[in-house]
Amino acid sequence: MSEIILPITSTSINQNNKSINLPNKTKSEVKNRKSRSDKLFPRKFPVSDEMRKEIRKWFIVYKKVCRTESITEFNTMLLRFGFRNLDILRNDFKYVDSGIYKTVKPNKLEKSYITDIGGLVDEWGVSERKAIHQIICSVLVYLQNGGGLTYEEIQPIKLHK
């Protein structure tokens, strides 16, 4: 007897005038699945040409320390550093939507520090993009003033069980 190979996209198939019904997941079954704990939430924030150059400069300086190969990953590490050093954060930097964007990819917990009730968006009364912009600017100013990044302080923030 030969095996029947069913198409992925169809919910039923007709073979020799016999209908075979395939299992179909309902929306509620899909909604109840747990999301991955390491799921990332890409967010864009505007940068000026000067800020873009500054990020690039620090990326080159810290590339080996941070063990990163991309500007996006480095930006995310700057964001994490800001979360771990709240005393350096300011929200008074000039914010202009320049049309030039960089990306950060925070995990769920890191995103909640920005957007949840009591997060920086709520505390500062700004948009999510502006909050991210302010955090990155704060860390860049910290670096310009002689501060430094350590590998431990730029690692993903995780829930402790």
Side-chain angles (χ1 to χ4, degrees), residues 8 11 42 57 69 82 95 104 109-110 115 119 124 142 145 155:
I8 294 173
T11 58
K57 176 182 92 173
E69 294 295 321
Y95 177 81
V104 293
L109 182 59
E110 295 161 347
T115 60
W124 291 344
Y142 170 78
N145 291 333
Q155 294 309 301

Side-chain angles (χ1 to χ4, degrees), residues 143-158:
L143 293 174
Q144 290 167 350
N145 291 333
L149 301 177
T150 63
Y151 185 71
E152 293 76 27
E153 290 181 300
I154 57 172
Q155 294 309 301
I157 298 172
K158 299 177 183 175

Side-chain angles (χ1 to χ4, degrees), residues 114-131:
I114 301 169
T115 60
D116 282 2
I117 294 174
L120 294 175
V121 166
D122 191 32
E123 183 181 327
W124 291 344
V126 297
S127 69
E128 182 178 4
R129 279 187 175 184
K130 187 170 183 178

Side-chain angles (χ1 to χ4, degrees), residues 52-116:
R52 184 186 57 80
K53 289 175 184 174
E54 194 70 21
I55 290 171
R56 179 88 178 138
K57 176 182 92 173
W58 290 111
F59 168 69
I60 292 167
V61 169
Y62 280 101
K63 187 175 182 177
K64 287 186 180 174
V65 171
C66 296
R67 301 176 198 161
T68 181
E69 294 295 321
S70 75
I71 294 282
T72 297
E73 191 176 4
F74 181 70
N75 288 336
T76 305
M77 291 174 176
L78 294 178
L79 190 73
R80 291 174 182 151
F81 184 84
F83 292 145
R84 287 193 170 97
N85 298 279
L86 296 174
D87 55 313
I88 68 167
L89 297 185
R90 299 177 14 209
N91 67 338
D92 60 349
F93 296 100
K94 184 178 180 183
Y95 177 81
V96 177
D97 192 347
S98 61
I100 303 169
Y101 299 97
K102 291 292 179 189
T103 305
V104 293
K105 293 183 178 180
N107 64 29
K108 186 175 183 177
L109 182 59
E110 295 161 347
K111 180 181 168 285
S112 73
Y113 288 163
I114 301 169
T115 60
D116 282 2

